[in-house]
Amino acid sequence: MAEDMKERGKSGWLHIEQRELSHTVRHGFPYQPTALAFDPVQKILAIGTRSGGVRLLGRPGVDCHCQHESGAAVLQLQFLINEGALVTACADDTLHLWNLRQRRPAILHSLKFNRERITFCHLPFQSKWLYVGTERGNTHIVNIESFVLSGYVIMWNKAIELSTKTHPGPVVHLSDSPKDEGKLLIGFESGTIVMWDLRVKRADFRIYYDEAIHSVSWHHEGRQFMCSHSDGSLSMWNMRNTAKPFQVTFPHGKTQRDGRKESCKPILKVEYKTSRNSSEAFVVFSGGLSYDKAGRRPTLTIMHGKAITVLEMDYPIVDFMVLCDTPYLNEVQEPYAVVVLLEKDFVVVDLTQSNFPIFENPYPMDVHESPVTCTAYFADCPPDIIPVLYSIGAKHKKTGYSHKEWPVSGGTWTVGSQTYPEIIVTGHADGSIKFWDATAITLQMLYKLKTSKVFENPKSGDVGRSGELVEEDPYAVQMISWCPQSRIFCVVGTSAHVILYRFSKHDANTTITSLEVRLQCEMEDVISPSDTENTPCYSDPSGLSPQPQPPSPRSNTPDSARDSITCLKVKDRMIRMPPGYQAELVVQLLWIDGEPPQQITSLDLNSAYGLLAVGNCNGLAVVDYLQKTILLCMNTLELYGSADPFQRLTRSPRKNRQSTSGLTELSDNQVSLDLERSKSPTSDHVNGHCTSPTSQPCPSGRARVPGGPEGPRLARRGPGRPPFRKAQSAACMEVSLPVSSLTEESRENSFSRSRSSSVSSIDRETKEAVTTLQFMESYGRKSDSLPTPCLWVGTSLGLVLIIPMSIPMDEQERQEDPVTVAPAGTVLMLKGSILRVSFLDCGGALIHSPYEVWRDQQAPGDPDRPRKRKLVNFSPSSSQEASGDCHLAVVCSERQAKVFLMPTQACLYVHNITESSFVLRADVVSVCNSVGLACFCANGHIMTLSLPSLRPLLDVNYLPQTDMRIARTFCFTNGGQALYLCSPTEIQRITYSQEMCDNLQEMLGELFTPIETPEAQNRGFLKGFFGGNAQNFDREELFGEASAGKGSRSLAQHIPGQGGMEGMKAAAGGVVGELARARIALDERGQRLGELEERTALMMTSAETFSKHAHEMMLKCKDKKWYQF
C-alpha cells in the first residue's frame, strides 16, 4: 500500500501554480504618522509616516499603501489638486512625484537635493512650479512636469536686508498671496517674514518679529494674515501697515497679577478660514495651553467669533487640516470639517454643527486600541456568521456621531467577482477579542468580546494573584481557537487560563464553571520521602478520569500561601450575559509551592467530541467541557509509558527544598525570571537575523550520554547541569510572551533580543513542552482496523504521540458516561519542535475535524423535546473507497515535514524545510482547489510545498528581518492568503496564490476619478480692478529655462521613476498638464511627421527633376520634323 501511494504521489496529485507573492492591502492606523494632505476636489486623503510609508484613503474600500524604498520619513505631502498626482518630501532631502492614476501608485520622478536640507514645500493651485524652502533659508523652484530645478532662486541674503547681521533661520512657511500670485510670502523660523515680488525679484516688505514663527495662514481676500508663535500667541498682520501686528492674542494665556501673561506652549499650527453664512471667521489651532496646567491632554481649539471651543484629544496632535468647499485660496473658504491626525488616532470634526461632533470613522483605525497580542485568519467561513456577528455587535456601537456623510469620499471601489466570507480575529493585551469582517480586502469591525468580565477585579493585597505573574496585563490574550461551524470559541490568557465561550442570540443568567488543573513534572526525579507531599495529577493506565486535587492547607509561609491557587479569580456568582459569546467554562493552571504556572503553549478543541486539550512545558490536560470534568492531567514523560525513545537520566534529590521544582523551577533571582520571560525561547539574534536555538554550538561542560545529540538518544539532566537546547520550541515562542510586563518598544524587539545573558524558563529545565494538539478521527495503533477519535500531541523534542479515546456515541450517554482516554504509546519522530498536524485522504483532499452544528442553547424551546446535537463527521473512509480506510497524516516541525500513511505509520515523504533557520508558522491550506503546506521561517522566507509529495512550489525571501511581533502574529489561511502585524498598529495582508495575484488589480480601488475642476467665482469688475489681477502672472515666463536659465546640477540630482513615459501619460491631464500632454503627443508623432516630411521632400525633388527633364526634352525636340526622330 505504501509503495503504491508513493508512486501516485510522484506522479503529482496536486498542482498549485505559484510564482509570486504580493501585498494585497494594509489595515489599521499608519504607524508613527508625520504628515497630512487632502485633495479638496478628488476628496482623497494622504498620510505620511516616519518609516517612509504613504497611506491614501478615500471612500470605504479605497485604501492604498505606498512605500518609499529609502525608508526615510515623510516630512510633507502636496497634492496636485485634481491631477491624480502627489509630491512627497522626505527626510533624506528627496522630492518624489507619485502617479495616482493607477491602482498601484508609482513614482514618476525623484529629485535629490545634495547640499541643502528641505524644510517646507508649497504648490499653488493649478501651477506646475513647486516652491521648496531649505534649512539654509533659500527658496528653490522645481518644475513638476520635468522635475528639474529652475534657475530662479530666492537666496536668503537677498530676501532680508543687507544690514541684518543674523541668519533668519530655516524656511518654515511659503505661500502665494491670494490677492496676487506674483507675491510669495516667506516665513523664517526666527520670526522674519518677507513678501517677495517674483516679477521684480525684490522684497515688498519685511517683518522682524521677536517670537519664532511656526505657521502662517491667509485671509481669503489677501489683505491680512495670521501667524502662530512659540510663546502661544497669535498675531494678525495687515498688508497696509506691516510695521507691527494690529492684533496679538494669547487664546489660553491669562493675565497674572503683575500684568504679565502667563507662559504658554507653542501654537504649532493655525488655519484662518472664512464663511459666507457668518461674518466671523474660523480660527483653528493646536497647542497654546499654559504650562501650569500639567496633565492636560493635547487640545485642538476652534475659535468662531467670541466662542472658543477646546477639544481634548487622547494623543498628541501630529497635524491637522481644515477642509473647505473650494480649492481657490482667493474665495470664501466655507470650512466644513477638520481632519486631525494624532499619534495613534485619526479624527474628523464636523464644523457645520455648533457642538462640533466627530464623524464615525469608516476605516479600521482602532486595531491597536489595545496592543495586538495574537491574530487568527479564517477564510471561506459559513456565510451566516458575518451577519450574525454584525447584528450583535451593532447593538453596542457608540452614539453621538455627526449625521453627515464621511467627508473623505474620493475614489471608486466595487466588490470583486471572486469574494468569499473572511474573518480576522485579533486578541489584545487588555483581554479583549475583536472579530473583523475581512471580505473583499476590506476590514470592518463586527463584534468585540471582553474576557476580563469573567474574572473579579484583582485587589492589590491578593497573594499569588496576577501581580506576581503579569503586572500590567493579566488578561492579555495569548492564543485563540475558534470553530466557526459550531461557534465555540476558546481563549488562552497570559495568566495560564483558558476560557470557553458559546454563542447565543439571547441573553442568559448563568454561573461560570471553573476547573483548576495542577500540571507538575517530577516523574524523572528520584523523589525523596519529603518530596511526596505534592504529587502530580495524572490518570492511571486504565484510562479513568481523575478529578482535580483540592488545594492543600495553607500555612503562614509565603510558599505554601501561594500553593494550589490560581492567578485570577473567576466570578462565582450568577452573571447576566448579553447576546453574543457567553462564557461557559474557565480552566486555570495552579500555582505550585510558590511558583507560578507555566504559560500554555498549545490548545485545541473539538465540538463533536466535546473535548478541550491544553498543553504547556509541564504536560497535557484534557477537559470534557460537556461534563465539566478533567479527563487527563499528565506530565509529558508519562504520556510515553514504555515507548519513550529517549534515555532519561534521573536527578538527585535537591538539597534546598524551596519549591517542588520539577518543570516549574524558578531561578534564584526573581528579577532574572522576569527578564527571561521577555525573551523568546526559540530565537537568536545573529547579525539582525533570527536563527534556531538548535543551531548554536554546544557550550563547554554540557552533559552528554553515549550517542548524544548526534545519535537517537537524548539525555535528561540534573538541576546543576547546563540547559537542554532541544527543549526549546518555535511554537513555545509565541506563548511565552509576557505581554503585560514589557513596554511597547521592548515588546516589539524582544524577538530579536532573545537569548542574551539568560535563556527562557523552558530551556532552564529539561522540559519537553507540548507544542501542538489536534483532535481527529484516526488510528491510535498500527493494529487498528477502523478510525477512532484520537488526540495527536506534538512536543518540542520532535515527537508525536497519538492518544486514542473512547467517546460514547449516544447523546444521553455522552452527558453521563465518562470519556476514556488511554495513551497508546504510538510515537512518530521528526527533527525540531512539532508545529502542525493535519490529515489528507488517499485522494489528497484535506480531511476536516468533525464538528457539532451550532445550536442556540439559550433559545426558548419545548422542554419535552430538547434539541439534539447534530454532528458532522469527516471520516477518511467517506472520501474514497478504492484505498480502504487509510489516510495520510501531514506533520510539520520547525525543521522538517513528513507524510505518514495511517495506520501503518509508514513515512511516505520527507522534506527538510530549512537547515540555516527554523519554521515559525506552518499550516496546511487549500489553494486553487488543491492543498499545500505553507511555512513561514524565522529568516523571513515564505515557502509552500505540494501535498502529499512535499515538492517545493514557492520560496520567497519576503521579510529579511523578523521581529517578535511578526513571529507572534503571522498566520496563513485558505485561498493562498496570510497576514501579520507589520507594525504595532497595522495589519498587512499578503497572497501567495497566483490566481489572486492575477485578479488583484480588479479587487483594488481606484484612487483617481475624472472630475471637472470647479470654476472660479466671478470676482466682479470692482474687485478685479481694485484687488489686483492675479491672472496676468505667468510663472512659465519667469521660471522657465528661457528666462531663468537652468538650475544647478550639483544642487539637485534628477532620478527617473518607475512610471516612465506611460506614467507621464497618465499623470498629464487637466489645466496643469495640458502642455505636458501636448508635448507627449508631439513626441509620439514627431517621428511619423519627420518621415512624412522626408517622403514629401523626396517626392517634390523627384517631381522637380522630372519636370526639368521633360522641359529640356521638349525644347530639344520641338523644332525637329517627324522624320528626324
Side-chain angles (χ1 to χ4, degrees):
M1 173 67 74
E3 293 299 325
D4 179 56
M5 303 285 280
K6 269 192 175 182
E7 290 301 321
R8 293 177 60 184
K10 287 179 181 178
S11 63
W13 292 351
L14 306 178
H15 300 279
I16 305 176
E17 184 186 5
Q18 291 176 304
R19 297 190 302 270
E20 61 179 312
L21 186 146
S22 175
H23 289 174
T24 53
V25 68
R26 181 172 293 196
H27 303 296
F29 180 77
Y31 184 55
Q32 295 179 332
T34 56
L36 180 68
F38 182 72
D39 187 327
V41 179
Q42 289 289 324
K43 296 191 182 301
I44 293 290
L45 187 81
I47 300 175
T49 68
R50 191 178 300 175
S51 60
V54 177
R55 193 74 167 275
L56 296 160
L57 300 170
R59 67 177 66 250
V62 179
D63 189 342
C64 181
H65 174 262
C66 311
Q67 180 67 41
H68 293 92
E69 292 184 1
S70 64
V74 178
L75 300 180
Q76 197 175 352
L77 300 164
Q78 285 281 328
F79 273 104
L80 276 67
I81 296 175
N82 203 28
E83 297 294 334
L86 175 73
V87 175
T88 58
C90 296
D92 60 351
D93 305 308
T94 306
L95 298 174
H96 303 275
L97 178 64
W98 291 82
N99 174 24
L100 306 185
R101 297 195 176 209
Q102 54 194 49
R103 302 198 182 197
R104 291 282 195 186
I107 293 177
L108 298 174
H109 298 285
S110 297
L111 188 65
K112 170 70 174 175
F113 280 74
N114 297 321
R115 300 199 305 263
E116 298 193 41
R117 306 295 305 272
I118 299 173
T119 57
F120 195 87
C121 297
H122 170 63
L123 179 65
F125 179 47
Q126 296 184 332
S127 169
K128 68 175 184 179
W129 299 96
L130 174 71
Y131 301 112
V132 181
T134 67
E135 192 176 35
R136 293 187 179 181
N138 302 324
T139 301
H140 301 276
I141 301 172
V142 178
N143 187 313
I144 291 297
E145 294 174 355
S146 59
F147 235 60
V148 295
L149 280 178
S150 167
Y152 193 113
V153 182
I154 306 174
M155 304 298 292
W156 68 271
N157 55 352
K158 301 291 185 182
I160 65 173
E161 291 180 338
L162 296 177
S163 59
T164 306
K165 297 181 179 180
T166 58
H167 191 278
V171 176
V172 296
H173 177 80
L174 292 168
S175 63
D176 48 341
S177 169
K179 187 177 179 180
D180 185 358
E181 293 179 348
K183 305 290 181 67
L184 182 67
L185 189 71
I186 307 173
F188 297 94
E189 187 181 56
S190 62
T192 301
I193 300 174
V194 176
M195 176 64 83
W196 184 262
D197 191 326
L198 294 168
R199 299 182 185 91
V200 298
K201 300 181 182 180
R202 63 178 176 82
D204 272 4
F205 64 81
R206 299 177 179 91
I207 297 173
Y208 299 96
Y209 198 65
D210 295 336
E211 294 295 334
I213 293 176
H214 286 282
S215 69
V216 180
S217 183
W218 281 96
H219 188 277
H220 79 275
E221 294 179 349
R223 298 176 181 175
Q224 59 189 26
F225 59 88
M226 180 181 290
C227 301
S228 68
H229 302 280
S230 58
D231 62 347
S233 66
L234 296 173
S235 61
M236 291 283 291
W237 300 83
N238 197 306
M239 299 293 290
R240 294 180 179 178
N241 181 14
T242 58
K244 64 177 182 178
F246 73 88
Q247 182 182 0
V248 177
T249 59
F250 288 81
H252 296 298
K254 296 180 180 179
T255 304
Q256 300 175 349
R257 293 181 179 179
D258 56 2
R260 294 184 303 173
K261 291 283 187 181
E262 61 181 347
S263 59
C264 296
K265 298 177 182 178
I267 295 180
L268 300 179
K269 185 176 182 180
V270 64
E271 292 212 22
Y272 185 26
K273 303 297 179 183
T274 53
S275 175
R276 291 190 187 91
N277 300 329
S278 174
S279 59
E280 302 289 347
F282 280 92
V283 178
V284 184
F285 62 89
S286 61
L289 292 178
S290 60
Y291 279 103
D292 60 351
K293 294 179 181 177
R296 289 195 61 176
R297 294 188 292 180
T299 60
L300 181 79
T301 304
I302 302 174
M303 299 172 60
H304 189 210
K306 296 182 179 181
I308 299 179
T309 304
V310 180
L311 304 178
E312 290 191 342
M313 302 294 169
D314 293 331
Y315 305 100
I317 297 174
V318 176
D319 197 0
F320 74 89
M321 286 192 69
V322 178
L323 307 188
C324 302
D325 284 336
T326 176
Y328 296 94
L329 296 180
N330 58 358
E331 296 180 357
V332 179
Q333 298 297 288
E334 285 296 335
Y336 59 89
V338 182
V339 178
V340 188
L341 180 62
L342 309 177
E343 279 190 0
K344 295 185 179 181
D345 204 357
F346 173 65
V347 178
V348 181
V349 182
D350 187 356
L351 289 181
T352 61
Q353 301 183 42
S354 58
N355 59 341
F356 303 128
I358 65 172
F359 289 88
E360 184 177 6
N361 199 326
Y363 314 123
M365 294 292 185
D366 57 345
V367 172
H368 64 288
E369 184 178 15
S370 174
V372 178
T373 54
C374 70
T375 59
Y377 194 3
F378 301 90
D380 205 7
C381 300
D384 60 336
I385 191 69
I386 291 179
V388 169
L389 288 174
Y390 182 80
S391 63
I392 297 296
K395 299 177 182 178
H396 305 284
K397 279 194 172 183
K398 296 179 181 180
T399 57
Y401 293 110
S402 173
H403 299 295
K404 295 197 172 183
E405 292 185 1
W406 179 251
V408 186
S409 56
T412 57
W413 178 77
T414 56
V415 179
S417 58
Q418 298 180 347
T419 58
Y420 44 83
E422 298 176 72
I423 289 180
I424 294 174
V425 184
T426 56
H428 300 265
D430 63 352
S432 61
I433 303 287
K434 291 182 180 180
F435 292 80
W436 306 85
D437 179 9
T439 305
I441 72 169
T442 61
L443 197 69
Q444 183 181 8
M445 177 79 163
L446 291 175
Y447 176 71
K448 183 177 179 180
L449 175 67
K450 295 182 179 180
T451 63
S452 59
K453 291 185 176 181
V454 173
F455 304 100
E456 301 282 1
N457 292 328
K459 299 178 181 179
S460 58
D462 284 354
V463 178
R465 293 297 176 189
S466 60
E468 296 286 342
L469 183 61
V470 281
E471 296 178 358
E472 297 176 4
D473 303 315
Y475 312 111
V477 178
Q478 192 170 282
M479 197 184 308
I480 55 180
S481 179
W482 186 38
C483 178
Q485 289 79 13
S486 63
R487 301 184 187 176
I488 293 180
F489 188 69
C490 261
V491 179
V492 174
T494 192
S495 296
H497 62 270
V498 181
I499 310 174
L500 185 139
Y501 290 88
R502 286 185 183 271
F503 186 84
S504 176
K505 295 181 180 179
H506 307 273
D507 56 0
N509 295 312
T510 58
T511 303
I512 303 172
T513 304
S514 177
L515 294 178
E516 298 175 354
V517 177
R518 188 182 181 89
L519 273 179
Q520 182 182 3
C521 186
E522 287 283 347
M523 294 303 296
E524 73 272 29
D525 287 340
V526 178
I527 302 176
S528 62
S530 63
D531 294 338
T532 59
E533 51 186 298
N534 290 312
T535 58
C537 171
Y538 59 92
S539 65
D540 57 17
S542 62
L544 297 179
S545 304
Q547 299 299 320
Q549 294 185 356
S552 59
R554 300 184 182 182
S555 63
N556 294 327
T557 62
D559 286 348
S560 60
R562 294 186 178 93
D563 182 58
S564 300
I565 63 171
T566 57
C567 297
L568 300 171
K569 184 180 180 182
V570 180
K571 293 180 179 178
D572 55 2
R573 60 184 183 275
M574 187 73 69
I575 303 174
R576 182 190 175 279
M577 298 184 183
Y581 273 103
Q582 300 169 352
E584 179 179 299
L585 175 68
V586 178
V587 179
Q588 292 180 285
L589 304 188
L590 295 172
W591 282 62
I592 300 174
D593 280 358
E595 297 179 359
Q598 296 292 325
Q599 293 185 348
I600 295 169
T601 59
S602 55
L603 169 76
D604 192 35
L605 69 91
N606 189 279
S607 57
Y609 302 158
L611 300 180
L612 172 70
V614 177
N616 69 356
C617 59
N618 285 347
L620 169 69
V622 181
V623 176
D624 184 345
Y625 65 79
L626 296 179
Q627 299 185 18
K628 309 296 190 297
T629 58
I630 300 174
L631 302 178
L632 182 73
C633 182
M634 302 177 70
N635 63 59
T636 315
L637 180 59
E638 293 173 315
L639 296 174
Y640 293 104
S642 59
D644 188 358
F646 297 148
Q647 175 185 356
R648 319 276 178 165
L649 298 182
T650 58
R651 290 188 285 184
S652 59
R654 288 180 174 82
K655 296 180 181 180
N656 186 6
R657 266 302 278 188
Q658 293 183 353
S659 65
T660 317
S661 62
L663 294 188
T664 57
E665 180 182 3
L666 290 169
S667 66
D668 296 332
N669 189 347
Q670 182 66 35
V671 177
S672 65
L673 175 66
D674 296 335
L675 293 175
E676 289 166 11
R677 291 182 180 276
S678 69
K679 306 185 189 307
S680 164
T682 59
S683 61
D684 297 308
H685 186 59
V686 181
N687 297 327
H689 292 74
C690 298
T691 58
S692 172
T694 57
S695 65
Q696 287 200 355
C698 177
S700 60
R702 183 178 297 278
R704 300 284 189 185
V705 294
E710 296 80 6
R713 308 179 71 84
L714 301 174
R716 292 274 181 175
R717 61 176 176 83
R721 297 181 182 180
F724 185 58
R725 293 176 296 137
K726 284 293 287 183
Q728 292 187 343
S729 162
C732 298
M733 169 270 305
E734 66 177 58
V735 297
S736 61
L737 278 174
V739 179
S740 59
S741 60
L742 295 176
T743 62
E744 183 172 341
E745 184 68 24
S746 62
R747 192 179 293 157
E748 300 308 319
N749 299 330
S750 57
F751 184 75
S752 60
R753 293 180 182 174
S754 59
R755 291 180 61 90
S756 54
S757 59
S758 61
V759 293
S760 70
S761 57
I762 291 181
D763 194 33
R764 303 186 88 254
E765 287 291 341
T766 317
K767 296 176 181 178
E768 185 177 3
V770 176
T771 56
T772 187
L773 296 166
Q774 182 67 52
F775 287 105
M776 180 56 69
E777 295 279 330
S778 186
Y779 302 89
R781 303 172 182 84
K782 291 183 180 181
S783 57
D784 289 350
S785 58
L786 293 175
T788 58
C790 293
L791 174 62
W792 287 60
V793 182
T795 73
S796 57
L797 295 186
L799 303 181
V800 179
L801 298 92
I802 308 174
I803 303 177
M805 300 173 293
S806 176
I807 302 176
M809 300 302 296
D810 182 75
E811 185 170 358
Q812 185 67 26
E813 293 178 354
R814 179 64 186 87
Q815 297 291 338
E816 299 174 357
D817 296 348
V819 175
T820 303
V821 180
T826 301
V827 178
L828 307 176
M829 298 185 66
L830 281 82
K831 292 191 297 184
S833 174
I834 305 299
L835 301 180
R836 185 65 57 194
V837 178
S838 192
F839 300 89
L840 307 176
D841 63 20
C842 291
L846 184 65
I847 303 176
H848 299 278
S849 299
Y851 63 86
E852 174 190 2
V853 177
W854 174 73
R855 58 192 177 114
D856 195 341
Q857 295 187 343
Q858 304 298 335
D862 188 356
D864 298 330
R865 298 182 61 186
R867 298 179 62 185
K868 293 185 178 180
R869 299 177 70 212
K870 182 180 178 181
L871 307 182
V872 177
N873 188 10
F874 299 93
S875 174
S877 58
S878 65
S879 55
Q880 79 282 336
E881 298 178 0
S883 301
D885 293 339
C886 65
H887 65 269
L888 305 176
V890 180
V891 184
C892 182
S893 71
E894 62 183 8
R895 300 278 188 181
Q896 197 177 51
K898 286 186 178 182
V899 177
F900 296 93
L901 176 64
M902 303 300 291
T904 64
Q905 301 177 14
C907 180
L908 300 182
Y909 306 98
V910 59
H911 178 74
N912 293 322
I913 300 174
T914 178
E915 294 295 338
S916 60
S917 183
F918 60 99
V919 179
L920 290 171
R921 181 77 185 219
D923 287 290
V924 175
V925 294
S926 298
V927 186
C928 303
N929 300 319
S930 300
V931 182
L933 176 64
C935 303
F936 173 59
C937 296
N939 59 6
H941 281 249
I942 293 179
M943 307 177 185
T944 56
L945 306 173
S946 67
L947 287 177
S949 56
L950 297 178
R951 289 183 292 105
L953 300 174
L954 177 72
D955 186 353
V956 177
N957 186 11
Y958 176 65
L959 293 169
Q961 290 190 2
T962 303
D963 59 15
M964 188 64 166
R965 180 189 62 251
I966 297 175
R968 183 178 65 234
T969 57
F970 197 100
C971 54
F972 295 98
T973 189
N974 294 329
Q977 297 192 74
L979 67 80
Y980 62 94
L981 208 66
C982 59
S983 73
T985 62
E986 296 170 287
I987 294 174
Q988 178 68 59
R989 290 165 66 179
I990 61 175
T991 180
Y992 49 93
S993 165
Q994 187 62 42
E995 180 181 1
M996 190 166 184
C997 288
D998 295 339
N999 298 325
L1000 191 56
Q1001 288 293 326
E1002 176 190 349
M1003 302 169 65
L1004 298 175
E1006 289 276 3
L1007 291 168
F1008 179 80
T1009 53
I1011 300 175
E1012 284 282 340
T1013 302
E1015 293 185 1
Q1017 294 179 1
N1018 187 4
R1019 305 182 66 196
F1021 173 75
L1022 293 178
K1023 279 193 175 181
F1025 182 77
F1026 292 105
N1029 190 359
Q1031 304 302 321
N1032 296 332
F1033 179 61
D1034 187 0
R1035 293 186 177 90
E1036 179 69 28
E1037 182 180 347
L1038 281 177
F1039 307 145
E1041 185 177 334
S1043 57
K1046 293 184 178 181
S1048 172
R1049 292 187 177 181
S1050 61
L1051 177 62
Q1053 176 187 0
H1054 176 257
I1055 304 171
Q1058 301 173 353
M1061 182 61 72
E1062 294 299 323
M1064 281 298 296
K1065 289 179 185 178
V1071 177
V1072 177
E1074 287 295 334
L1075 182 58
R1077 185 165 55 188
R1079 286 179 178 176
I1080 293 170
L1082 288 174
D1083 289 341
E1084 290 179 341
R1085 292 156 49 194
Q1087 186 176 359
R1088 292 195 296 270
L1089 290 174
E1091 292 175 356
L1092 180 60
E1093 288 178 359
E1094 290 177 1
R1095 288 197 298 268
T1096 304
L1098 288 174
M1099 291 175 65
M1100 291 177 65
T1101 304
S1102 178
E1104 289 177 358
T1105 305
F1106 178 78
S1107 175
K1108 181 180 179 181
H1109 287 299
H1111 184 69
E1112 291 177 352
M1113 183 65 68
M1114 184 267 295
L1115 294 175
K1116 183 178 179 180
C1117 300
K1118 72 175 182 176
D1119 296 330
K1120 290 185 179 182
K1121 304 296 183 182
W1122 63 270
Y1123 52 84
Q1124 292 178 335
F1125 287 99

